[in-house]
Amino acid sequence: MLTLGIESSAHTLGVGIVDDGKVLANIKAMYKIGTKGMIPRQVAEHHVQNVHRVISQAFEAAQVKPSELEGIGYTKGPGIGSCLQVGQVAAKTIAQRLGLPIAPVNHGIGHIEIARVNAGMSNPLVLYVSGGNSQILKLTDDPHPHYKVMGETFDIGIGNMLDTFARGAGLDPAWGSTVEKTATGGRYIDMPYTVKGMDFSFTGILTHALKASKSTGLQDVCFSLQETAFSMLCEATERALLLSNSDELCICGGVAQNSRLKQMLEAIASEHGAKMGFTENQYNADNGAMIAFVAERSLKAGAASPLEKCNIEQRYRLDSARVY
Ligand code: FE2
């Protein structure tokens, strides 16, 4: 079922085209975050300026014509309202013009489902780590198929924490990968550690690391920040893995691109005889293909939404979205 998906929840405008689960195109345009972070009006303007070009490039890359499309999806949320609206309006316009069934998609379900299927897993324990989210989840059928949150951050997502630290410490503000690179060869210094059951918190460590960056070398601060924050995620994930009796562990989301985090989780999975799974980085970063991927599965299951009900929801909880 040839399906186009549009992702526009934050800095990335992504357009993907899939056919029966196979990704034919995954094109994106990214708003460059300066020292001030994301300014919603400017990010939305970036998406408006690029949406036509990125859609055209996706058709070119997939080598299909708009008239061949059989379905469409867009990110309903969570995300920045003005940014989500760009994808919503574009998708609704295409759906109406071409008479296509349309499916609103939860952004997090997009990351999880494409990672889970690409990793060849049926019902793994999932660690979803991105800018706005940090959650430990497990698929359940009660009362309908959805991801149940077993643990999550009390405050900010780990990606947001790493990006905010990078900006505050005067590092290149582009993403947590800067922290990962700077951490190489660093030595450990003490950092606050907050895990309560299977939940965790990142604001305390952020404040501490920013203060430490004024008096201690950035290499050591970045190293210690990563080691401590990732250990918090690993402790909670290990507890959830044992409690849920899972034999598969899948990691996804923007921070899943971090090789040190992957290495630490691999050690936990291996210690408990669980299979470790992840997907290519192009799907861990925000992208349109994952939205097309989930939209296609929803539409095949008969879950098309009437156009007038195709809304956006800035705080769309992952555990309130049905999985098809
Ligand atoms: Fe994301």
Side-chain angles (χ1 to χ4, degrees):
M1 181 179 193
L2 196 67
T3 306
L4 182 139
I6 304 178
E7 154 62 29
S8 66
S9 64
H11 44 67
T12 300
L13 171 75
V15 177
I17 297 177
V18 303
D19 191 16
D20 289 337
K22 183 169 182 265
V23 177
L24 304 181
N26 194 21
I27 307 293
K28 57 181 80 172
M30 286 173 73
Y31 171 83
K32 190 165 171 18
I33 297 181
T35 51
K36 291 180 181 143
M38 277 191 271
I39 300 164
R41 186 177 48 79
Q42 291 182 3
V43 187
E45 180 61 24
H46 165 269
H47 294 353
V48 169
Q49 293 299 335
N50 285 283
V51 68
H52 305 95
R53 176 179 65 81
V54 176
I55 289 173
S56 297
Q57 285 179 346
F59 280 117
E60 275 167 36
Q63 297 196 308
V64 295
K65 296 191 201 79
S67 58
E68 294 175 84
L69 277 185
E70 295 169 283
I72 189 160
Y74 69 95
T75 305
K76 173 178 169 176
I80 302 167
S82 54
C83 297
L84 289 167
Q85 278 175 336
V86 180
Q88 175 202 25
V89 170
K92 286 176 80 165
T93 306
I94 295 169
Q96 188 182 43
R97 185 75 185 85
L98 300 178
L100 299 172
I102 183 167
V105 174
N106 179 288
H107 178 91
I109 299 286
H111 278 302
I112 294 174
E113 284 296 282
I114 201 164
R116 182 183 68 78
V117 174
N118 283 352
M121 295 183 161
S122 54
N123 188 4
L125 182 77
V126 176
L127 176 64
Y128 169 40
V129 274
S130 66
N133 299 278
S134 295
Q135 292 175 317
I136 300 168
L137 307 119
K138 182 84 177 168
L139 196 59
T140 172
D141 277 335
D142 186 20
H144 52 74
H146 73 285
Y147 280 96
K148 185 177 170 209
V149 177
M150 295 188 70
E152 64 184 326
T153 176
F154 283 126
D155 37 53
I156 56 174
I158 187 160
N160 186 1
M161 185 275 282
L162 292 169
D163 292 345
T164 307
F165 170 77
R167 275 198 301 278
L171 290 168
D172 179 340
W175 330 116
S177 61
T178 317
V179 175
E180 183 179 13
K181 281 182 205 133
T182 311
T184 310
R187 287 169 313 142
Y188 190 78
I189 57 167
D190 267 351
M191 290 270 163
Y193 184 96
T194 314
V195 174
K196 293 187 192 303
M198 284 177 287
D199 296 320
F200 29 82
S201 155
F202 295 117
T203 46
I205 195 170
L206 172 60
T207 307
H208 185 92
L210 282 170
K211 268 191 201 155
S213 69
K214 299 198 174 17
S215 57
T216 310
L218 280 180
Q219 188 184 27
D220 292 348
V221 179
C222 287
F223 175 79
S224 310
L225 179 63
Q226 276 207 156
E227 290 298 305
T228 313
F230 291 170
S231 295
M232 284 157 51
L233 287 174
C234 286
E235 181 191 329
T237 302
E238 184 172 25
R239 192 166 292 138
L241 189 73
L242 296 174
L243 275 169
S244 62
N245 211 12
S246 302
D247 57 5
E248 296 171 330
L249 172 61
C250 184
I251 174 174
C252 64
V255 185
Q257 297 173 85
N258 186 298
S259 50
R260 176 61 181 146
L261 178 60
K262 262 194 261 188
Q263 185 186 41
M264 288 166 82
L265 288 163
E266 262 164 349
I268 287 173
S270 136
E271 188 166 332
H272 297 289
K275 187 182 159 198
M276 170 84 187
F278 43 83
T279 187
E280 294 165 57
N281 280 341
Q282 64 166 320
Y283 306 125
N284 283 324
D286 287 353
N287 68 95
M290 68 182 190
I291 303 302
F293 185 85
V294 172
E296 182 188 45
R297 292 167 80 98
S298 305
L299 294 172
K300 278 185 173 176
S305 178
L307 269 179
E308 62 277 13
K309 289 197 173 161
C310 285
N311 59 349
I312 57 157
E313 202 177 320
Q314 290 190 70
R315 295 184 184 275
Y316 187 16
R317 287 271 308 178
L318 201 155
D319 50 4
S320 70
R322 189 171 182 136
V323 177
Y324 294 97

